[in-house]
Amino acid sequence: MKTTVMVLLTNDSELEDAVAEALLELGGVSHLTCDAGHALETVCGVHDLDLAIIDFEHGPHGMTLLSAVRMLCGDLPVIVITHDDDKYVEALAYTNGATACFSKPLSTTQLVAAIQEFCGPRVERALA
């Protein structure tokens, strides 16, 4: 099976740890960045990305990254993480192309399920 490859934009160590645990369980690799510009460089430079996870605690930088990812990689699944179940931010994320939104705190179980759901078809296409 193909290794899941993702970009993660966050400065939240708890979210970073949860993603690392999920990837250990699934055998994946993450390109971690705390900077939206570096995340965009990763999206442009890594051609086998399966998923992007954007922590919207980055404020407008997270939303800008989401829009850029949508323009550059229209079929790349993007999971947006919000703080405290913020329905306004969640609505904006979906409007700008998010595949899914979750609020913090996010468990490893939720992340594993989301990664399997959103990367499954891409992994199958890569193997075909």
Side-chain angles (χ1 to χ4, degrees), residues 81-118:
I81 311 297
T82 64
H83 187 67
D84 294 333
D85 200 25
D86 189 338
K87 294 299 182 190
Y88 174 73
V89 172
E90 184 177 315
L92 282 173
Y94 280 123
T95 299
N96 284 283
T99 308
C101 290
F102 297 101
S103 58
K104 291 181 182 180
L106 192 60
S107 72
T108 302
T109 304
Q110 286 175 296
L111 278 167
V112 167
I115 292 167
Q116 287 176 325
E117 178 181 352
F118 299 121

Side-chain angles (χ1 to χ4, degrees), residues 5-121:
V5 180
M6 72 175 62
V7 62
L8 169 64
L9 172 65
T10 190
N11 57 7
D12 180 336
S13 61
E14 289 181 26
L15 177 59
E16 183 181 338
D17 290 345
V19 170
E21 285 181 40
L23 289 173
L24 278 174
E25 190 171 318
L26 296 169
V29 176
S30 176
H31 297 272
L32 171 67
T33 182
C34 297
D35 177 86
H38 290 137
L40 187 57
E41 288 174 10
T42 300
V43 168
C44 292
V46 179
H47 300 289
D48 61 348
L49 280 178
D50 297 304
L51 180 69
I53 299 177
I54 302 172
D55 183 351
F56 263 26
E57 284 195 40
H58 280 272
H61 299 293
M63 187 68 72
T64 302
L65 179 61
L66 173 59
S67 296
V69 168
R70 262 309 137 238
M71 286 191 317
L72 294 168
C73 307
D75 67 336
L76 182 70
V78 179
I79 296 174
V80 169
I81 311 297
T82 64
H83 187 67
D84 294 333
D85 200 25
D86 189 338
K87 294 299 182 190
Y88 174 73
V89 172
E90 184 177 315
L92 282 173
Y94 280 123
T95 299
N96 284 283
T99 308
C101 290
F102 297 101
S103 58
K104 291 181 182 180
L106 192 60
S107 72
T108 302
T109 304
Q110 286 175 296
L111 278 167
V112 167
I115 292 167
Q116 287 176 325
E117 178 181 352
F118 299 121
C119 293

